[in-house]
């Protein structure tokens, strides 16, 4: 059963069967670039290649690019990974048919043997004729009883895999007892034990959170956990005999069963070769060397005006409705009921737009709030009206302005907040349950929300996606239609001013919580280093969530300025590093109250709004956020628009210090609701990359939204 000799390999394909609800079942391909060292200074690289593999099927690998799949109906099929030559990840090779779902698990060591643990407890061993083809005949040659110690350990293990004739069993820790990985040597003999040496312990200290393991070849083991506080983070271990930790975070976002394209011998790659899943395609145009701040300053905007647009649910203008603009930061640290200060009123135009100019003289409380917020004034614009049936419709939008004398940083925040809130605000129906205060969910209930669960994931899943239009703070995304009231769709109903209108809004703070909020991210692939600076003051806009009826929706943003008592960020992290950076911001859940119809109708609504930078007692001044390494590397680079690309000379750096960052859709989950946000780049808020000293291969970067010297939002690395 000896495997044919082959050259020692690096760049081992590694496959993950993602069976998350969002994926529906996908086989994803990663690249283990330096398996010999367990990627001690690198990581598992996302190749960007995938293929559908339904959640009820399972798979294992046998080396040479051959992938075995046991289908949901029990058939055994083989496929070939042809992505390195431009083909499919799962190219069909052979169908063995049969009833293979009678086995609890199957695996191969990368040679001519397949191990299969039968449901009755016996371990059956199959020989494979011509294993490199993926279609050689299978023949059962051994049946080892479940009483054999190795077979009993296999049956009880959380995961099992092999490298050649060595079978590994992973048993996770339980309670205060740590788990381990044991190595069992398989010896094919006519009589006696097939595992005559018992076991050696390859790995100790396996936590209760570790359930999956694999090896790309001899001398390296990877493990990954699957619980919410450790989801998808892979560790690597290397050595002979008892192994030691090589990299505590060699990969992230690995959700599901994992198998590598097993090699008989491992090697490290050439340090002068840029990592990638195949041969890089030729470039017809050489990108320019990166230069900073080529883009012109944005067109001047009048920061002294609040403005917006209100529409009905069908997108048609909500015309002729009274608008009230009220300052929202004036409640400060107060927990008692406080009436908001009106800054101006107007009526929506025929296209639904409106504008209110800041008063020449600000009320004292508003001026103080602006000074505490770096000069920016956050306000709430609201409209109300009724349908012909008497149903109250109300819209709200969070808006920002600044006095003409405010600092330039405040004016930049106003412009950023306006960009964040460029979508018109929709009128929503007021339901009967809003006529009284509602009970607030507990922390345990909000932990079950879609937002809270997404926050626990180790990789960024929302970067390229907008937030859902509606959220629940206690469960999955809501399926109901907030526009349908008593069976009537209110989207297109004509809304007219309400008789008597509505009075000023009063607010009461119901709760506060400090949440670490994504404000920046850095990228450093291959030989580069990444730095993120978030210094001296807040310069971030964060969305505001408003609860109308049973659903939460995003209604504009607040600009968060002011001085900070700390400097945060990270410096020279890498290579193969890309993470978001988060700072602690205090969020408030606020109950709004107002009356309409000459005081005959009292209504309540709730909102979640960001406030000041606030370090919790004993907490970090800033900390790492989600892993975003999947955005870097060869495949994303060659999939990027050519005009977005540039390169950084060896030993030099490039940084973004102008315009604003990309919008982080999943910046924070507060009170069980997800909010987005962005940061203003300036001399104190930067993303930087420093290239290594490789002389013959340039370091490439590219902007997400634009060329790197324009308004890229964030740049990536290859």
């Amino acid at each position: 059963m000896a495997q044919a000799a082959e050259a020692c390999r690096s760049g081992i394909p590694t496959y993950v069967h993602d069976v998350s609800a969002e994926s529906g079942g996908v086989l994803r391909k990663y690249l283990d670039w330096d398996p010999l060292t367990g990627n001690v200074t690198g990581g598992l690289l996302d190749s960007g290649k995938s293929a559908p593999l339904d959640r009820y099927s399972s798979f294992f690998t046998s080396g040479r690019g051959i992938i075995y799949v046991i289908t949901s109906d029990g058939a055994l099929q083989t496929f070939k990974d042809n992505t390195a030559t431009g083909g499919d990840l799962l190219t069909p090779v052979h169908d063995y048919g049969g009833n293979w779902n009678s086995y609890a698990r199957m695996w191969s060591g990368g040679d001519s043997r397949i191990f299969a643990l039968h449901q009755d407890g016996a371990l059956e061993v199959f020989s494979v004729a011509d294993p490199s083809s993926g279609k050689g005949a299978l023949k059962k040659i051994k049946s080892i009883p479940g009483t054999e110690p190795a077979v009993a350990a296999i049956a009880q293990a959380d995961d099992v895999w092999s490298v050649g004739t060595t079978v590994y069993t992973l048993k996770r820790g339980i309670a205060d007892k740590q788990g381990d990985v044991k190595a069992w040597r398989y010896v094919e003999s006519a009589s006696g034990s097939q595992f005559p040496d018992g076991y050696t312990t390859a790995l100790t200290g396996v936590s209760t959170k570790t359930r999956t393991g694999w090896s790309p070849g001899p001398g390296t083991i990877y493990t990954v956990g699957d619980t919410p506080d450790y989801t998808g983070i892979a560790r690597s271990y290397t050595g002979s005999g008892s192994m030691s930790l090589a990299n505590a975070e060699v990969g992230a976002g690995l959700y599901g069963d994992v198998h590598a394209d097993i090699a008989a011998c491992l090697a490290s790659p050439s340090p002068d070769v840029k990592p990638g899943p195949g041969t890089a395609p030729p470039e017809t145009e050489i990108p320019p060397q990166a230069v900073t701040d080529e883009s012109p300053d944005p067109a001047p905007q009048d920061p002294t005006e609040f403005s917006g647009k209100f529409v009905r649910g069908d997108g048609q203008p909500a015309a002729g409705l009274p608008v009230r603009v009220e300052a929202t930061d004036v409640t400060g640290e107060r927990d008692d009921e406080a009436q908001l200060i009106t800054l101006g009123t107007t009526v929506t135009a025929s296209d639904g737009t409106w504008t209110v100019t800041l008063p020449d003289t600000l009320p004292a409380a508003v001026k103080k709030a602006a000074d505490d917020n770096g000069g920016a004034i956050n306000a709430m614009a609201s409209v109300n009206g009724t349908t012909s049936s008497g149903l109250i419709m109300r819209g709200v939008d969070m808006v920002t302005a600044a006095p003409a004398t405010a600092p330039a940083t405040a004016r930049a925040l106003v412009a950023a907040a306006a960009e964040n809130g460029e979508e018109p605000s929709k009128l929503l129906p007021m339901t009967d349950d809003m006529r009284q205060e509602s009970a607030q969910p507990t922390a345990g209930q909000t932990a079950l929300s879609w937002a809270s669960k997404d926050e626990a994931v180790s990789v960024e899943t929302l970067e390229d996606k907008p937030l859902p239009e509606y959220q629940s703070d206690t469960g999955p995304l809501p399926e109901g239609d907030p526009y349908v009231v008593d069976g009537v769709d209110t989207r297109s109903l004509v809304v007219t001013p309400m008789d008597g209108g509505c009075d000023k809004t009063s607010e009461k703070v119901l709760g506060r919580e400090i949440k670490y909020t994504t404000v920046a991210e850095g990228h450093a692939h291959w030989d580069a280093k990444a730095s993120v600076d978030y210094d001296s003051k807040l310069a971030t806009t964060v969305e505001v969530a408003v609860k109308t009826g049973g659903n939460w929706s995003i209604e504009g943003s607040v600009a968060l300025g002011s001085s900070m008592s700390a400097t945060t960020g990270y410096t020279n992290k890498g290579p193969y590093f890309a993470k978001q950076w988060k700072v602690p911001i205090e969020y408030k859940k606020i109950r709004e109250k107002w009356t309409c119809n000459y005081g005959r109708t009292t209504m309540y609504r709730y909102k979640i709004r960001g406030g000041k930078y606030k370090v919790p007692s004993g907490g970090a001044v800033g900390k790492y956020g989600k892993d975003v390494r999947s955005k870097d590397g060869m495949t994303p680079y060659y999939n990027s628009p050519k005009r977005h690309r540039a390169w950084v000379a060896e030993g030099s750096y490039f940084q973004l210090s102008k315009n604003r960052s990309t919008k982080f859709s999943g910046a924070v989950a507060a009170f069980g609701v997800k909010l987005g946000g962005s940061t203003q780049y300036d001399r104190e808020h930067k993303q930087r990359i420093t290239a290594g000293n490789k002389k013959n291969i340039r370091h490439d970067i590219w902007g997400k939204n634009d060329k790197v010297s324009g308004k890229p939002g964030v740049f990536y690395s290859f």
Side-chain angles (χ1 to χ4, degrees):
M1 61 175 289
Q3 183 172 334
E6 64 173 344
C8 295
R9 294 167 57 198
S10 61
I12 304 294
T14 302
Y15 308 95
V16 182
H17 189 195
D18 181 351
V19 294
S20 63
E22 182 177 294
S23 74
V26 173
L27 189 68
R28 304 189 187 281
K29 180 180 178 179
Y30 291 77
L31 201 63
D32 190 346
W33 187 245
D34 187 8
L36 180 65
T37 69
N39 292 279
V40 64
T41 60
L44 298 173
L45 310 177
D46 189 342
S47 74
K49 307 295 184 182
S50 64
L53 183 60
D54 74 86
R55 64 176 64 248
Y56 302 107
S57 296
S58 60
F59 87 105
F60 62 93
T61 55
S62 66
R64 308 171 186 85
I66 300 299
I67 299 170
Y68 287 79
V69 171
I70 302 97
T71 67
S72 56
D73 59 5
L76 179 64
Q77 300 172 346
T78 52
F79 299 83
K80 181 71 180 291
D81 175 6
N82 286 327
T83 55
T85 56
D88 294 332
L89 176 58
L90 289 177
T91 303
V93 174
H94 189 64
D95 189 341
Y96 289 95
N99 185 25
W100 295 87
N101 55 11
S102 61
Y103 295 99
R105 54 171 39 124
M106 295 179 67
W107 72 96
S108 169
D111 50 27
S112 60
R113 296 294 183 266
I114 289 176
F115 299 92
L117 181 68
H118 201 278
Q119 298 283 7
D120 65 10
L123 180 65
E124 298 180 354
V125 183
F126 293 82
S127 66
V128 184
D130 189 17
S132 62
S133 71
K135 54 185 176 183
L138 302 182
K139 180 181 179 180
K140 184 167 69 174
I141 58 173
K142 291 288 179 182
S143 182
I144 309 170
T147 54
E148 178 86 18
V151 179
I154 288 169
Q156 296 169 7
D158 290 291
D159 204 3
V160 181
W161 68 95
S162 293
V163 176
T165 59
T166 301
V167 178
Y168 293 96
T169 57
L170 182 150
K171 188 68 175 174
R172 66 185 178 93
I174 299 176
D176 58 350
K177 181 181 178 181
Q178 293 184 322
D180 57 23
V181 175
K182 293 181 171 66
W184 309 76
R185 188 172 70 94
Y186 171 72
V187 177
E188 209 160 88
S189 60
S191 62
S193 173
Q194 307 300 300
F195 297 92
D197 304 327
Y199 69 84
T200 58
T201 301
L203 196 61
T204 59
V206 174
S207 77
T208 60
K209 305 166 184 175
T210 303
R211 296 177 184 266
T212 303
W214 73 96
S215 294
T220 299
I221 286 177
Y222 296 92
T223 64
V224 65
D226 67 352
T227 53
D229 55 348
Y230 200 60
T231 300
I233 302 295
R235 293 184 172 219
S236 65
Y237 303 83
T238 57
S240 58
S242 181
M243 297 187 181
S244 57
L245 181 67
N247 190 331
E249 197 169 335
V250 71
L254 280 71
Y255 314 119
D257 196 18
V258 186
H259 294 279
D261 190 56
I262 311 160
C265 178
L266 299 177
S268 285
S270 167
D272 295 321
V273 175
K274 294 180 78 171
T279 303
E283 288 193 79
T284 57
E285 302 174 18
I286 303 301
Q289 184 171 349
V291 295
T292 302
D293 293 346
E294 177 187 275
S295 64
D297 290 326
Q301 298 185 26
D302 188 347
T304 67
E305 289 183 348
F306 299 106
S307 62
K309 181 178 182 179
F310 286 105
V311 297
R312 300 182 318 209
D314 61 1
Q316 294 302 306
L321 298 180
V323 181
R324 183 188 297 273
V325 179
E326 299 168 293
T328 58
D329 291 336
V330 296
T331 53
E333 298 300 312
R334 296 174 57 177
D335 286 331
D336 59 328
E337 193 91 21
Q339 193 175 65
L340 299 185
I341 297 174
T342 298
L343 295 175
T345 60
T346 188
V347 175
T348 56
S350 59
D351 61 354
T353 60
W354 61 271
T355 301
V356 167
T357 302
L358 273 173
D360 294 334
T361 302
L362 295 175
V366 176
K367 186 177 186 308
K368 182 181 185 307
D371 292 342
D372 292 342
N373 196 42
I377 299 173
N378 293 309
M380 177 179 70
S382 58
V383 297
N384 57 83
T386 58
T387 67
S388 59
S389 62
L391 182 64
I392 299 176
M393 305 289 289
R394 187 170 171 92
V396 63
D397 190 12
M398 301 300 158
V399 290
T400 305
T405 56
T409 51
R411 297 195 296 272
L413 275 174
V414 171
E419 286 185 57
N420 272 351
E422 57 194 13
E423 290 293 322
S425 298
K426 296 180 179 179
L427 273 61
L428 282 163
M430 303 291 101
T431 52
D432 287 341
D433 59 356
M434 298 179 66
R435 294 178 183 269
Q436 57 186 2
E437 295 187 64
S438 60
Q440 299 304 303
T442 65
Q445 290 172 319
T446 60
L448 300 175
S449 74
W450 168 83
S452 297
K453 290 182 176 180
D454 181 80
E455 193 77 352
V457 175
S458 60
V459 297
E460 177 53 67
T461 60
L462 290 169
E463 186 174 19
D464 297 322
K465 303 175 185 177
L467 284 174
E469 189 170 5
Y470 302 105
Q471 298 181 52
S472 165
D473 56 3
T474 57
L477 297 177
E479 296 181 356
D481 189 335
Y483 285 100
V484 176
V485 179
D486 296 331
V488 177
D489 190 335
T490 64
R491 286 178 177 82
S492 302
L493 296 182
V494 175
V495 182
T496 57
M498 182 186 304
D499 187 24
C502 297
D503 64 11
K504 294 181 180 180
T505 308
S506 64
E507 290 188 348
K508 180 178 176 60
V509 177
L510 301 180
R512 293 180 171 87
E513 59 182 28
I514 298 171
K515 289 292 184 177
Y516 285 84
T517 304
T518 300
V519 293
E521 71 181 40
H523 291 260
H525 197 66
W526 192 41
D527 67 335
K529 304 285 187 180
S531 299
V532 160
D533 293 327
Y534 196 88
D535 297 352
S536 301
K537 62 181 180 298
L538 281 177
T540 292
T541 61
V542 178
E543 290 175 332
V544 176
V546 176
K547 186 178 184 183
T548 301
N551 297 327
W552 292 88
S553 60
I554 301 302
E555 304 292 351
S557 304
V558 290
L560 307 181
S562 80
S563 297
M564 291 165 50
S565 58
T567 296
T568 73
Y570 53 76
T571 302
N572 291 332
K573 301 294 292 186
Y576 304 106
F577 176 93
K579 279 200 171 182
Q580 296 179 335
W581 186 247
K582 308 176 87 170
V583 300
I585 292 176
E586 183 181 62
Y587 292 84
K588 299 176 183 177
K589 179 183 277 188
I590 297 170
R591 186 215 68 194
E592 295 178 356
K593 175 185 176 183
W594 71 95
T595 58
C596 306
N597 292 331
Y598 301 105
R600 293 191 293 266
T601 304
T602 299
M603 305 292 285
Y604 298 91
R605 185 173 54 199
Y606 301 87
K607 63 185 174 187
I608 298 167
R609 189 182 72 210
K612 60 185 179 180
Y613 172 86
K614 189 173 184 179
V615 180
S617 178
V621 298
K623 64 182 183 181
Y624 294 110
K626 294 190 176 187
D627 190 294
V628 284
R629 280 179 284 186
S630 65
K631 300 297 181 183
D632 294 329
M634 177 187 290
T635 300
Y637 175 76
Y638 284 102
N639 287 338
S640 68
K642 291 182 178 180
R643 68 179 299 271
H644 292 188
R645 301 175 190 169
W647 55 274
V648 185
E650 69 269 11
S652 70
Y653 73 87
F654 171 78
Q655 72 181 25
L656 294 182
S657 53
K658 190 176 182 180
N659 301 310
R660 71 181 181 106
S661 76
T662 188
K663 182 178 179 180
F664 303 106
S665 291
V668 66
F671 296 101
V673 178
K674 205 76 167 178
L675 310 173
S678 65
T679 290
Q680 188 66 29
Y681 289 128
D682 54 35
R683 64 182 182 181
E684 294 167 321
H685 306 90
K686 303 181 288 287
Q687 177 194 354
R688 174 186 292 199
I689 190 171
T690 302
N693 293 306
K694 306 289 186 184
K695 296 293 184 182
N696 299 319
I697 306 177
R698 68 174 190 256
H699 194 99
D700 295 285
I701 62 174
W702 67 101
K704 176 184 178 183
N705 302 324
D706 192 6
K707 57 185 179 180
V708 297
S709 55
K711 295 182 179 181
V714 65
F715 63 81
Y716 305 125
S717 167
F718 170 47

